[in-house]
Amino acid sequence: MAGLERPQILLASDLAHGDVVFLGASGWERDCHRAKIVYDSDAAAALQAFGQAEIAKNHVVDVYLADVAVDASGAPEPLHYREKIRALGPSVRRDLGKQAWLRRSGDAM
Amino acid sequence: MTAHDPVLPSRPNAGGTTYVYDQFDAAFVRERVAEFREQVERRLAGALTEDEFRPFRLMNGLYLQLHAYMLRIAIPYGTLTARQLRQLAYIADQWDQGYGHFTTRQNLQYNWPKLVDVPDILDALADVDMHAIQTSGNCIRNITADHFAGVAADEIEDPRPTAEFLRQWSSAHSEFSFLPRKFKFAVTGAEHDRAAIMVHDIGLRIVKSPAGEIGYQVAVGGGLGRSPFICKVVREFLPRADLLAYLEAIMRTYNRFGRRDNKFKARIKILVHERGLDEIREAVEAEFAAMDRAPFAYDTQEFVRIAAFFAPPSYAKLPARSASLETAKLENRDFADFVSVNVAEHKIDGYAIVTVSLKPIGGIPGDAASHQMRVLADLAEKFGLGELRVSHAQNIILPHVKKDDLFALWRALDTAGLATANAGLVSDIISCPGLDYCSLATARSIPIAQAISRRFADLERQRRIGELGVKISGCVNACGHHHVGAIGILGLEKKGAESYQITLGGDPTFEASIGELLGPGVSAEQVPEVIEHIVEFYLAERQGDERFIDTWRRIGHQRFKELAWREGEDGSDI
Amino acid sequence: MALISEGAFVEDSWRRLADEEALPKSGKIIVSLSRLHAALQWLGAGSALGVFVPNTTDPAALVGALPRLSLIAIAFPAFADGRGFSLARLLRRAGFTGELRASGRIVADQYLHAVGCGFDRIEIPDDLAERQGEAQWRAALHARSLSYQRGYGAGGSILEQRRRGAK
Ligand code: SF4
């Protein structure tokens, strides 16, 4: 079991709605902070395999792993600016996307 | 069926001069919507895999982007009626987030639709003779045209009948729906190219033969993207009666011989480049000669039927000079500035063409909120014969405004925050959505546009600088047309961060040229400063009222590069 | 492989010969393009000959053989590869009146396009036929009743209908 250079999470797009979703402890989550973090290649492969099965069931599309940093509270933060934007929403419209929804539901931000 | 008498067409859409669907067009679009509704159901049920579904959803304008699906609506030849724009506002409120984004190809994008809602949205579009057909995918895309069509003083012929003729011919084409790559047409009928036809796969220019016959100059193989090319003329004069047959010959040649082994080499521009224009011309002409022409026998009559819809609206007889306009200009500086920058000459005395800028200082280029769309629809009805245009510069045009009404129109626009007097100036920036929305992006483009716009917020300074096209793309696909920006900016990823390459000297008109690279990429924070240096250098060097592009051409790219180099020496990493 | 004709799955009365199989003296045989010449020499007038061709085939290479051919199957290596549509058009224009088959990963949603370009039958792999059963192919044949292109398909274009209406 090889350790990963960086911890990873699995993300995808919901097929019917198009929303970005993150694989959590018990299914897909809309909030990146609830994503399950993996630290070794076997666990990462298991996430990938689950993602492929979910594609086959027509639940999600465009599944991939992304590198994250783990913050003090144990929540994952994507490292690349692309996934950062996906986790929040357009940087030029803070009133739209996940960032707005997270603010409304009092989580994070 | 008297409505389709080629001699006496009816004009049911009196509120604007544009094509009106007949029963066949309407039924065609409804069938497409029903077909897509089925496809969505079959996708959700798994009868279609994502790989199989993708081309069909793309052919209905539906992408999957960074945050959500994105639906791209066609605004063929950029013409909208007030009623259609109101419906676009309604859709934005009903199924999206209350706004839309006008693109560089006379399309409108909604950024948040759900897949399951899209068939309903398409039905709502069909209610007003609109659709999203072929706004994406490897097929013939929405046909674009000069946004001043029918009203420009320099026009040989309104290009919109040609564009509509082509829209119909290219819709759900049995043979050309699975091309090697996307295929874009643009048409102009004017002496000045406002539709960037030379950077399209096919650029059609309406011309008159020495004998006075109207036909087309056909240019092929232009395009931006990873390797930009300017169109080459494949036929100097094509009689109108041959238009569809000839285009079919080009499309067939491309469909058979265009490369399919590498997506970045699949556009017709690469075919023309690799095989050479002469070989392509020979192949096209041979195919054209071999074709059975009987199916095209009635094309001319059909063209006449379509053209009748674009007959000029009934203008009032007015003097060329409006006394009230002149007085208002004297009394109100801001209004006078607006007129000098955003108002263009109309071919009819007493009328003017008004550009409504969707580029407020610090705003998102091309975005319009639903309430703004409604204001524009109302104003179009009140002052503009119910008609609007969408330009590839991501602005809205009111094409028929009485000079006498300009002041009242301006007041209303100003109240709605739509009177920014910057058309064609440095803050009238063309920008693709970039990494704030687009899944292909390598960097953001909107924040760069906003920062430049803020840096040059002073409109008086902008007017001093004069005409200057800044164009920004968020990746090599070049939807923001950066290659043909007098100043072009391309967002890339460099060592895990956003980095911006700057090019100078691009030009989208008949004198088309591709911009040249200034130097290595700079960071997002540095872009506005670099642009400012370039502009200041130009102001110091320009002679008389030379435009930026003219000065650049005269003194040469090297001088600008040297400037960048000098700046780089004192610390900034240009 | 499953064979679709007029919206229904049908039996295939033709046999596609592998290149290493010997040519029979009679029957309905489909050979690859490389064996076409040999097959034309070998087969008697009583047998029916078909040929399986890549979508990059130059129609000129087949023109001489057209009168002797009863079937041409054009390969669709991927459903998004549309070269076969143009090749079908060109073969019809060259006067081919036999059966024209699209063979490969064509999906039901392309059925009308294929018919419009002159194909009669579609031949798809079994895994595809499993996901896209007969009902979907039947429905696909009627997904659209109207088309703008003149000279494609037998249905008559919108233009022709307009002209009839305008009279
Ligand atoms: S240029 Fe690139 S980033 Fe911009 S819209 Fe096109 S594909 Fe997206």
Side-chain angles (χ1 to χ4, degrees):
Chain A
M1 170 171 103
L4 292 169
E5 215 164 286
R6 310 213 188 289
Q8 291 189 314
I9 60 171
L10 191 76
L11 62 161
S13 295
D14 178 83
L15 173 65
H17 286 206
D19 203 2
V20 184
V21 287
F22 306 88
L23 189 62
S26 53
W28 297 105
E29 299 279 355
R30 289 176 65 198
D31 179 358
C32 173
H33 285 175
R34 299 175 66 87
K36 180 173 168 179
I37 307 168
V38 294
Y39 297 88
D40 63 70
S41 53
D42 287 356
L47 286 197
Q48 279 278 31
F50 182 83
Q52 291 306 315
E54 284 290 285
I55 289 178
K57 287 183 192 151
N58 307 302
H59 293 156
V60 294
V61 291
D62 291 355
V63 177
Y64 65 97
L65 290 163
D67 290 349
V68 294
V70 182
D71 72 10
S73 69
E77 287 291 348
L79 283 175
H80 194 277
Y81 57 90
R82 183 178 192 269
E83 279 66 43
K84 279 193 176 113
I85 291 174
R86 293 200 77 188
L88 292 175
S91 70
V92 292
R93 287 293 302 266
R94 293 294 183 203
D95 57 324
L96 296 174
K98 293 185 187 299
Q99 52 205 349
W101 165 74
L102 289 167
R103 213 165 28 234
R104 275 199 305 276
S105 58
D107 191 12
M109 309 278 307
Chain B
M1 280 291 307
T2 51
H4 306 102
D5 187 311
V7 188
L8 284 171
S10 65
R11 290 275 316 281
N13 204 8
T17 43
T18 192
Y19 185 72
V20 179
Y21 286 4
D22 68 3
Q23 63 177 100
F24 302 110
D25 300 304
F28 174 85
V29 170
R30 292 290 179 187
E31 283 186 353
R32 287 293 279 169
V33 177
E35 187 184 19
F36 187 63
R37 196 179 287 280
E38 291 258 339
Q39 285 167 338
V40 170
E41 279 164 21
R42 286 167 58 233
R43 172 68 192 103
L44 293 172
L48 287 165
T49 64
E50 186 64 15
D51 282 346
E52 288 163 354
F53 179 57
R54 189 177 301 113
F56 299 108
R57 77 161 148 71
L58 291 176
M59 273 181 237
N60 282 284
L62 191 63
Y63 284 78
L64 184 53
Q65 293 288 38
L66 275 189
H67 315 294
Y69 285 98
M70 178 271 276
L71 182 64
R72 183 183 288 159
I73 312 300
I75 303 171
Y77 33 90
T79 298
L80 276 176
T81 63
R83 176 166 168 253
Q84 289 172 324
L85 185 55
R86 259 188 216 107
Q87 186 77 346
L88 294 177
Y90 167 77
I91 291 170
D93 288 337
Q94 186 73 17
W95 289 288
D96 208 84
Q97 296 283 356
Y99 71 106
H101 173 76
F102 289 96
T103 77
T104 52
R105 288 208 79 251
Q106 298 179 325
N107 295 312
L108 176 87
Q109 294 180 176
Y110 294 115
N111 289 307
W112 307 92
K114 297 186 174 94
L115 174 62
V116 289
D117 287 339
V118 171
D120 291 341
I121 299 175
L122 298 179
D123 260 329
L125 285 171
D127 290 344
V128 293
D129 288 9
M130 292 184 81
H131 61 71
I133 296 168
Q134 287 166 221
T135 52
S136 179
N138 294 337
C139 49
I140 300 171
R141 300 286 189 87
N142 182 32
I143 315 280
T144 58
D146 182 355
H147 48 264
F148 285 179
V151 292
D154 64 340
E155 196 170 74
I156 293 170
E157 184 187 85
D158 190 336
R160 293 174 302 165
T162 299
E164 174 60 25
F165 190 52
L166 297 182
R167 183 191 72 82
Q168 297 189 21
W169 159 78
S170 62
S171 290
H173 200 292
S174 284
E175 188 177 347
F176 308 131
S177 288
F178 294 88
L179 298 170
R181 200 75 176 82
K182 58 188 168 187
F183 205 97
K184 300 172 180 176
F185 280 81
V187 196
T188 183
E191 276 160 31
H192 294 95
D193 179 12
R194 284 169 290 259
I197 70 161
M198 298 308 273
V199 292
H200 281 73
D201 294 277
I202 289 185
L204 292 176
R205 182 179 181 181
I206 298 171
V207 290
K208 241 188 206 148
S209 74
E213 185 194 354
I214 291 215
Y216 301 89
Q217 182 196 66
V218 184
V220 63
L224 298 174
R226 179 172 290 211
S227 23
F229 285 98
I230 307 291
C231 269
K232 298 186 176 70
V233 175
V234 64
R235 183 67 108 85
E236 280 295 347
F237 185 83
L238 181 71
R240 172 162 289 151
D242 292 340
L243 181 63
L244 291 193
Y246 195 80
L247 294 179
E248 209 165 291
I250 296 178
M251 297 310 300
R252 187 165 297 132
T253 304
Y254 170 58
N255 194 36
R256 292 181 62 206
F257 303 115
R259 286 181 61 173
R260 291 176 189 258
D261 57 328
N262 178 341
K263 150 175 168 171
F264 295 109
K265 297 197 187 288
R267 296 278 294 270
I268 196 172
K269 62 189 178 186
I270 303 293
L271 184 69
V272 173
H273 177 67
E274 287 182 350
R275 306 264 183 127
L277 180 67
D278 291 339
E279 189 182 328
I280 296 302
R281 181 186 288 129
E282 220 167 276
V284 168
E285 293 287 346
E287 173 58 26
F288 179 59
M291 282 171 72
D292 173 13
R293 302 291 290 280
F296 303 99
Y298 299 105
D299 279 5
T300 309
Q301 278 159 280
E302 176 65 359
F303 188 92
V304 168
R305 180 190 79 85
I306 289 171
F309 286 96
F310 297 91
S314 26
Y315 295 111
K317 240 190 141 30
L318 298 167
R321 190 174 172 283
S322 156
S324 68
L325 168 62
E326 297 309 320
T327 316
K329 282 195 329 199
L330 287 175
E331 284 168 1
N332 190 316
R333 258 323 297 248
D334 289 344
F335 173 61
D337 291 339
F338 177 83
V339 173
S340 77
V341 176
N342 286 37
V343 176
E345 274 303 314
H346 195 288
K347 67 178 181 188
I348 303 292
D349 281 351
Y351 283 83
I353 308 168
V354 177
T355 297
V356 179
S357 165
L358 294 181
K359 320 288 175 64
I361 298 304
I364 298 179
D367 274 16
S370 56
H371 64 87
Q372 291 178 317
M373 294 184 202
R374 288 195 189 90
V375 167
L376 287 170
D378 291 347
L379 293 176
E381 269 168 358
K382 195 158 172 203
F383 298 116
L385 302 177
E387 189 182 329
L388 306 105
R389 305 286 177 80
V390 176
S391 74
H392 85 275
Q394 302 175 288
N395 291 318
I396 301 284
I397 318 284
L398 293 170
H400 328 276
V401 181
K402 284 182 188 157
K403 286 181 176 169
D404 294 339
D405 289 337
L406 281 174
F407 186 63
L409 170 67
W410 174 76
R411 295 264 296 251
L413 287 172
D414 198 32
T415 310
L418 287 165
T420 314
N422 64 349
L425 302 182
V426 60
S427 65
D428 184 6
I429 298 168
I430 290 184
S431 171
C432 80
L435 192 63
D436 280 297
Y437 293 100
C438 175
S439 66
L440 299 171
T442 41
R444 283 174 289 173
S445 33
I446 297 168
I448 303 298
Q450 292 174 309
I452 295 171
S453 168
R454 285 198 198 99
R455 169 79 65 144
F456 289 94
D458 179 359
L459 283 166
E460 199 173 318
R461 182 178 174 211
Q462 290 193 37
R463 281 195 300 278
R464 245 188 358 257
I465 297 164
E467 183 187 320
L468 176 50
V470 177
K471 302 179 198 252
I472 311 176
S473 305
C475 79
V476 292
N477 285 324
C479 304
H481 295 186
H482 65 275
H483 294 298
V484 290
I487 296 178
I489 302 170
L490 166 63
L492 295 167
E493 173 171 355
K494 202 165 132 194
K495 298 190 195 121
E498 292 162 298
S499 167
Y500 297 86
Q501 272 186 358
I502 295 170
T503 49
L504 301 181
D507 180 356
T509 66
F510 288 136
E511 292 85 52
S513 58
I514 302 295
E516 293 176 38
L517 195 59
L518 188 65
V522 301
S523 72
E525 297 72 44
Q526 290 168 322
V527 173
E529 204 178 316
V530 175
I531 305 298
E532 191 158 30
H533 278 307
I534 294 167
V535 169
E536 287 302 327
F537 181 63
Y538 148 67
L539 288 177
E541 293 289 326
R542 87 166 157 199
Q543 294 177 353
D545 54 2
E546 236 176 12
R547 298 172 307 161
F548 178 90
I549 182 86
D550 302 324
T551 303
W552 179 87
R553 279 181 180 146
R554 180 172 52 78
I555 70 174
H557 187 59
Q558 198 51 37
R559 293 283 308 282
F560 283 86
K561 272 188 106 146
E562 283 160 12
L563 162 88
W565 179 245
R566 272 206 310 281
E567 297 300 336
E569 279 180 343
D570 41 77
S572 55
D573 174 28
I574 305 182
Chain C
M1 296 292 257
L3 187 65
I4 299 132
S5 176
E6 289 170 25
F9 282 25
V10 296
E11 277 298 315
D12 193 353
S13 58
W14 287 80
R15 195 158 81 81
R16 175 120 152 243
L17 216 59
D19 276 350
E20 55 283 359
E21 275 181 84
L23 282 170
K25 252 302 175 211
S26 62
K28 296 166 86 173
I29 302 298
I30 302 174
V31 298
S32 64
L33 186 56
S34 58
R35 284 181 100 189
L36 178 60
H37 194 69
L40 284 169
Q41 314 279 317
W42 175 260
L43 289 178
S47 54
L49 183 62
V51 64
F52 182 84
V53 300
N55 62 6
T56 49
T57 306
D58 181 354
L62 287 173
V63 164
L66 287 184
R68 287 282 319 273
L69 284 169
S70 311
L71 180 148
I72 301 174
I74 299 174
F76 275 73
F79 80 98
D81 183 343
R83 280 177 283 201
F85 295 118
S86 284
L87 182 54
R89 287 277 290 171
L90 292 173
L91 290 172
R92 287 298 188 211
R93 186 169 84 199
F96 180 65
T97 52
E99 176 178 337
L100 203 48
R101 259 186 205 192
S103 179
R105 301 206 68 89
I106 295 263
V107 295
D109 310 72
Q110 294 173 298
Y111 197 5
L112 280 176
H113 287 329
V115 172
C117 290
F119 286 106
D120 314 284
R121 293 180 162 193
I122 315 284
E123 193 177 30
I124 58 170
D126 294 332
D127 68 300
L128 195 55
E130 224 163 89
R131 262 190 296 114
Q132 303 187 352
E134 192 170 37
Q136 289 182 46
W137 286 88
R138 197 179 320 116
L141 198 51
H142 305 287
R144 278 173 280 125
S145 63
L146 295 160
S147 85
Y148 283 107
Q149 293 82 43
R150 15 272 199 209
Y152 288 77
S157 70
I158 287 175
L159 178 59
E160 284 153 310
Q161 297 188 47
R162 270 185 191 137
R163 287 185 52 75
R164 278 201 294 277
K167 264 177 204 146

